[in-house]
Amino acid sequence: MNRSILLVAFSLFILSLSAQKIEVKDDKAYDGNKLFTGTNIVYFENTELKKAETVFKKGLKEGKELVFFKSGKLKAERYWKSGEKNGKWINYNEE
């Protein structure tokens, strides 16, 4: 019995971590009231298809950002350094 309760509690904890809501304000990403560091994945509404995958470091975009068409195909690759555009930005056709 205790083992089942522990397993359920652990599962709920893991679900709460994966359901974090990152908010972007003034070009900075926040997890609650703290600057976010990590990868934020945004999905098209009511789907499991990625809309964008962005890496943040201390609230600023950092490294490669991927943007997708609703079909799931890659739409763009963008590169960032400390929240500023950096390097080549590549756009793709959906065809």
Side-chain angles (χ1 to χ4, degrees):
M1 177 75 175
N2 286 340
R3 191 174 203 183
S4 296
I5 293 171
L6 183 59
L7 188 59
V8 169
F10 180 73
S11 297
L12 290 173
F13 173 73
I14 295 299
L15 283 173
S16 71
L17 289 179
S18 64
Q20 68 185 355
K21 183 69 175 167
I22 304 304
E23 186 176 353
V24 179
K25 294 187 285 187
D26 300 323
D27 293 328
K28 290 187 181 178
Y30 294 89
D31 183 4
N33 61 352
K34 295 180 182 178
L35 291 172
F36 176 68
T37 295
T39 302
N40 185 42
I41 300 174
V42 177
Y43 296 91
F44 285 101
E45 193 172 327
N46 299 321
T47 72
E48 293 182 15
L49 294 172
K50 289 182 189 179
K51 185 174 187 176
E53 183 174 326
T54 309
V55 177
F56 290 91
K57 184 176 179 184
K58 296 181 183 175
L60 299 174
K61 290 181 180 183
E62 186 71 31
K64 186 184 340 186
E65 175 182 46
L66 301 174
V67 181
F68 300 90
F69 290 105
K70 198 164 187 174
S71 66
K73 292 184 178 181
L74 187 61
K75 181 177 184 177
E77 290 179 56
R78 301 172 180 164
Y79 295 88
W80 300 88
K81 184 168 181 148
S82 301
E84 300 290 325
K85 294 177 182 179
N86 184 49
K88 285 185 178 181
W89 281 32
I90 305 168
N91 294 304
Y92 300 94
N93 294 324
E94 191 170 12
E95 303 168 352

